[in-house]
């Protein structure tokens, strides 16, 4: 190839039918569905150096999925289900990346994925109904459809604590954990944050660090995960009954194939209630939430679950003062995303672990030697931020996607995201979001939510191609009504009552606060989407 031809090629846009941003669970399935099943020309781009999405970045010690492996997986291929075997009840990040690589190999996906490629912006040419996606590698990509598969929890939230630049040690955010690992032997490590990530992380850090200081702002509930290797007999049974398992996952509220007991926590005597909670505690994991049907809808019922877990924390932690600090009192169990753990509370019984209660003594500044709270300085060699993400909207807004009128998503969503079904937003034609704000997403076992969204979007695109339609976007009224429905569904639960929750955007200073995922249940949501499609895509405007 001559130099001139190469230069011309690198500047002329690549032309495809659809650009997919993100090569995690959602992006890989979108590529498979649109290219392999429907024959579209598709280009996937991802800024990561490998596939895996959230699991490419989250490699902190203890990083493991909270959904159980046999159903935290794709259901679209029976062959894939039979060929792949999971090793543990909850897969760790390495195993999930191996699984996704197996999927990408099997369905020949790699050839249409460009890694290490950051989207710097996108704009829409209304005359041609084409998106132009700009990237940092210099070549634009033009496509009729732009599909974001960027995940809900991808933009790290590093709190703006004064003095971080002065810190002489190293610091890390769990969502950008170095791939080569971090040698913490002999180090004094400070961990900020006790959400799902921090609760997985602390026991692992404590095992290697010289000393671990956990800086806790809000005490959290956690349920023992009870992780264990999967037996051959279990694997065989799963493989023999996969169709039933998948159907089950699709007909329940959270996409997890287990049923919630159809009984109120308030209907039973205290001793019987305790017995049921004990049984669910022994089972472990997110199944604990299924002990009674009203844990997330009735404050008194919720208090029985919260109280049970508080008693478990006091049992597990030997020092009563530390136990008290670790006991949540300001929100009910599962009103924030409930973590699951492996010996989290017991970790505080170790001699090399200290808990700092930031409610009593907030962080004032980071110095060159460590973290200063109102009580004094904690000397540290390493600081680990387990401080979560700018969830739902952060990664979408960072894409710098502009509507035909020049407004970006960030401009349009200043007061919070306006979406219809969480799949499209008014003013942005042919832009589809996989698990966008206003869809069940994080309130569901993610692969179930992802497959439903990808399939719905694919069906909509097929409808357009069959009908010779070039453009689709939601009517503003439809989006307004959907936002009202998202609020209604949230307010029918106790979820909006946890005022510092990332479900509300409350963890990021300055972010507009509104309840972001759809809490009406995955099965119900899927029925609504199907009904909209059957009703000639009610609320969407085609041209
Ligand atoms: P998170 O739930 O938002 O927790 C962040 C923690 O950092 C909270 O304890 C928060 O305290 C604290 N924090 C934030 N800013 C702070 C500040 N300026 N000073 C002191 N503390 C501060 O984030 P996450 O733990 O990374 O989890 C996010 C979500 O990711 C989870 O809920 C879950 O959906 C997902 N996740 C999944 C898995 C899995 O499946 N295996 C594992 C990890 C995470 P406050 O509570 O006071 O705000």
């Amino acid at each position: 190839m001559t130099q001139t031809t190469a230069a011309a090629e690198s500047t002329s846009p690549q032309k495809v039918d659809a650009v997919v941003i993100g090569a995690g669970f959602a992006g890989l399935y979108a590529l498979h569905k649109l290219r392999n099943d429907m024959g579209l020309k598709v280009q996937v781009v991802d800024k990561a150096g490998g596939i895996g999405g959230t699991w490419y970045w989250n490699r902190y010690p203890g990083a493991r999925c909270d959904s159980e492996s046999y159903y935290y997986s794709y259901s679209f291929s029976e062959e894939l289900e039979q060929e792949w075997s999971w090793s543990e009840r909850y897969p760790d990040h390495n195993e999930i990346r191996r699984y996704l690589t197996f999927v990408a190999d099997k369905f020949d996906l790699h050839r249409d994925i460009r890694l290490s490629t950051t989207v710097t912006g996108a704009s829409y040419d209304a005359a041609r109904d084409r998106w132009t996606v700009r990237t940092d590698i210099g070549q634009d990509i033009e496509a009729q459809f732009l599909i974001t598969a960027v995940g809900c929890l991808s933009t790290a939230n590093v709190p703006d604590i004064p003095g971080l630049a002065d810190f002489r040690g190293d610091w890390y955010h769990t969502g950008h954990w170095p791939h080569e690992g971090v040698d913490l032997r002999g180090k004094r490590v400070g961990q900020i944050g006790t959400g799902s990530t921090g609760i997985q992380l602390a026991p692992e850090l404590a095992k290697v660090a010289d000393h671990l200081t956990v800086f806790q702002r809000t005490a959290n509930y956690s349920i023992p995960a009870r992780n264990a290797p999967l037996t051959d007999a279990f694997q065989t049974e799963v493989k023999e009954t996969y169709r039933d398992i998948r159907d089950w996952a699709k007909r329940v509220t959270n996409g997890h194939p287990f049923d919630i007991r159809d009984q109120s926590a308030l209907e039973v005597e205290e001793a019987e209630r305790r017995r049921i909670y004990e049984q669910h505690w022994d089972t472990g994991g997110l199944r604990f939430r299924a002990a009674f049907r009203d844990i997330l809808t009735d404050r008194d019922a919720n208090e029985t679950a919260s109280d049970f877990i508080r008693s478990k924390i006091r049992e597990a932690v030997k020092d009563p003062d530390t136990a008290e600090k670790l006991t949540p009192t300001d929100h009910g169990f599962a009103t924030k995303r409930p973590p699951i753990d492996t010996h989290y509370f017991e970790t505080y019984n170790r001699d090399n672990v200290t808990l700092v209660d930031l409610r009593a003594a907030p962080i004032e500044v980071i110095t060159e030697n460590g973290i200063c709270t109102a009580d004094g300085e904690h000397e540290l060699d390493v600081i680990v931020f387990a401080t979560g993400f700018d969830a739902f909207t952060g990664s979408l807004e960072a894409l710098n996607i502009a509507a035909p009128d020049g407004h970006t998503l960030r401009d349009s969503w200043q007061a919070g995201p306006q979406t219809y079904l969480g799949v499209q937003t008014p003013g942005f034609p042919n832009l589809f979001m996989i698990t966008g704000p206003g869809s069940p997403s994080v309130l569901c076992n993610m692969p179930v939510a992802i497959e439903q969204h990808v399939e719905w979007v694919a069906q909509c695109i097929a409808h357009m191609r069959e009908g010779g339609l070039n453009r689709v976007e939601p009517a503003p009224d439809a989006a307004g009504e959907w936002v009202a429905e998202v609020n209604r569904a949230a307010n029918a639960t106790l979820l909006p009552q946890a005022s510092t929750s990332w479900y509300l955007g409350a963890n990021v200073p300055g972010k507009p606060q509104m309840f972001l995922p759809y809490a009406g249940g995955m099965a119900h949501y899927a029925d609504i989407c199907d009904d909209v499609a059957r009703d000639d895509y009610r609320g969407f405007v085609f041209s």
Side-chain angles (χ1 to χ4, degrees):
M1 189 186 294
T2 65
Q3 273 187 344
T4 333
T5 329
E9 267 189 15
S10 68
T11 48
S12 61
Q14 181 194 1
K15 295 187 180 176
V16 293
D17 297 310
V19 173
V20 176
I21 307 174
F25 266 91
L28 295 181
Y29 184 43
L31 172 57
H32 170 67
K33 185 81 201 160
L34 297 177
R35 190 197 71 187
N36 294 349
D37 288 357
M38 291 169 58
L40 268 67
K41 210 166 169 198
V42 181
Q43 180 65 58
V44 177
V45 290
D46 197 311
K47 68 180 169 195
I51 63 170
T54 195
W55 300 106
Y56 175 84
W57 300 103
N58 281 276
R59 303 183 187 215
Y60 59 86
R64 189 176 282 287
C65 185
D66 288 348
S67 289
E68 298 182 38
S69 54
Y70 71 95
Y71 60 84
Y72 188 77
S73 54
Y74 292 116
S75 72
F76 69 84
S77 163
E78 291 187 30
E79 210 177 83
L80 169 65
E81 286 172 345
Q82 296 304 318
E83 285 172 0
W84 181 262
S85 297
W86 294 100
S87 68
E88 292 179 273
R89 180 172 176 188
Y90 307 94
D92 81 350
H93 62 97
N94 294 299
E95 189 166 22
I96 299 171
R97 279 195 308 279
R98 282 199 298 277
Y99 171 71
L100 291 175
T101 302
F102 182 83
V103 171
D105 290 344
K106 180 174 173 61
F107 298 101
D108 190 21
L109 302 180
H110 296 285
R111 67 185 157 92
D112 287 316
I113 303 173
R114 273 199 209 169
L115 298 168
S116 306
T117 304
T118 301
V119 169
T120 54
S123 48
Y124 192 77
D125 178 346
R128 295 189 302 126
D129 285 317
R130 284 290 176 281
W131 282 102
T132 298
V133 178
R134 296 182 296 282
T135 68
D136 65 348
I137 60 162
Q139 190 186 17
D140 294 346
I141 314 170
E142 274 188 18
Q144 183 178 6
F145 301 105
L146 177 54
I147 299 171
T148 62
V150 291
C152 303
L153 294 153
S154 315
T155 299
N157 171 40
V158 179
D160 188 15
I161 302 173
L164 180 58
D166 301 330
F167 182 55
R168 280 199 305 225
D170 296 319
W171 69 266
Y172 307 93
H173 186 281
T174 49
H176 290 281
W177 199 257
H179 292 188
E180 63 281 11
V182 181
D183 186 0
L184 297 170
R185 283 172 301 182
K187 301 273 170 65
R188 296 162 303 175
V189 179
Q191 171 186 321
I192 306 179
T194 53
S196 298
T197 301
I199 279 177
Q200 288 185 334
L201 178 71
E204 298 302 317
L205 296 185
K207 284 181 202 162
V208 283
D210 182 52
H211 194 91
L212 172 67
T213 306
V214 178
F215 295 86
Q216 170 193 277
R217 192 165 63 183
T218 307
N220 216 338
Y221 301 91
S222 184
I223 307 296
R226 311 228 184 268
N227 189 34
L230 295 179
T231 61
D232 289 347
F234 181 82
Q235 309 228 25
T236 304
E237 192 191 327
V238 164
K239 288 188 181 190
E240 282 172 356
T241 56
Y242 244 137
R243 296 286 45 83
D244 295 339
I245 293 168
R246 302 303 192 186
D247 289 347
W248 197 356
K250 282 182 186 164
R251 67 170 185 265
V252 294
T253 305
N254 296 319
H256 294 258
F258 51 79
D259 290 323
I260 295 172
R261 261 173 85 87
D262 191 17
Q263 188 174 37
S264 164
L266 306 174
E267 267 172 35
V268 288
E269 294 296 319
E270 194 176 335
E272 173 63 357
R273 188 162 58 224
R274 176 116 199 148
R275 189 193 65 74
I276 293 167
Y277 280 138
E278 288 286 0
Q279 195 183 38
H280 283 74
W281 185 261
D282 289 344
T283 303
L286 296 174
R287 289 171 193 258
F288 183 83
R289 266 190 311 195
F292 294 103
R293 66 160 183 256
D294 48 1
I295 290 177
L296 269 181
T297 51
D298 183 289
R299 201 187 275 264
D300 293 336
N302 182 278
E303 189 56 19
T304 65
S306 304
D307 242 358
F308 175 84
I309 303 170
R310 289 181 195 125
S311 73
K312 289 291 184 189
I313 297 171
R314 292 185 187 114
E315 262 172 41
V317 181
K318 288 187 186 142
D319 173 48
D321 184 42
T322 307
E324 240 11 77
K325 288 179 187 159
L326 285 166
T327 303
T329 50
D330 67 344
H331 66 285
F333 165 66
T335 56
K336 293 169 102 167
R337 158 69 151 76
I340 66 174
D341 72 275
T342 300
H343 308 312
Y344 172 67
F345 293 112
E346 294 81 354
T347 294
Y348 293 92
N349 296 333
R350 296 175 65 115
D351 292 338
N352 70 333
V353 176
T354 309
L355 177 69
V356 173
D357 177 8
L358 298 179
R359 287 279 160 90
I363 294 177
E364 292 183 338
V365 66
I366 295 179
T367 64
E368 56 183 32
N369 298 319
I371 295 179
C372 246
T373 67
D375 271 353
E377 187 171 53
H378 300 266
E379 291 195 4
L380 301 167
D381 303 306
V382 175
I383 299 174
V384 179
F385 290 93
T387 43
F389 302 89
D390 182 354
F392 304 103
T393 53
S395 303
L396 289 168
E397 291 181 359
L399 295 172
N400 192 23
I401 297 176
D405 69 3
H407 282 88
T408 61
L409 274 184
R410 196 184 295 277
D411 300 330
S412 299
W413 290 358
Q414 265 173 16
Q418 299 285 307
T419 75
Y420 182 35
L421 303 176
V423 88
Q424 277 211 303
T425 188
F428 291 78
N430 295 358
L431 169 66
F432 291 106
M433 296 170 288
I434 306 302
T435 65
S439 75
S441 64
V442 298
L443 299 180
C444 179
N445 172 36
M446 283 307 282
V448 173
I450 284 168
E451 287 191 331
Q452 185 270 343
H453 252 196
V454 168
E455 284 160 18
W456 194 92
V457 168
Q459 192 189 0
C460 181
I461 290 176
H463 170 79
M464 290 174 72
R465 289 166 85 86
E466 280 157 21
L469 303 165
N470 292 327
R471 185 199 282 223
V472 60
E473 65 178 290
D477 285 359
E481 282 163 25
W482 182 250
V483 171
E485 167 61 10
V486 171
N487 287 327
R488 184 211 58 75
N491 290 329
T493 72
L494 302 172
L495 295 174
Q497 294 181 15
S499 60
T500 60
S501 163
W502 58 264
Y503 291 160
L504 287 161
N507 62 324
V508 176
K511 188 165 170 164
Q513 293 200 19
M514 68 189 257
F515 197 84
L516 292 162
Y518 181 58
M522 187 62 216
H524 176 60
Y525 168 82
D527 285 346
I528 295 173
C529 292
D530 289 346
D531 185 55
V532 164
R534 266 194 309 271
D535 192 13
D536 210 13
Y537 289 89
R538 184 178 66 242
F540 288 94
V541 180
F542 293 91
S543 58

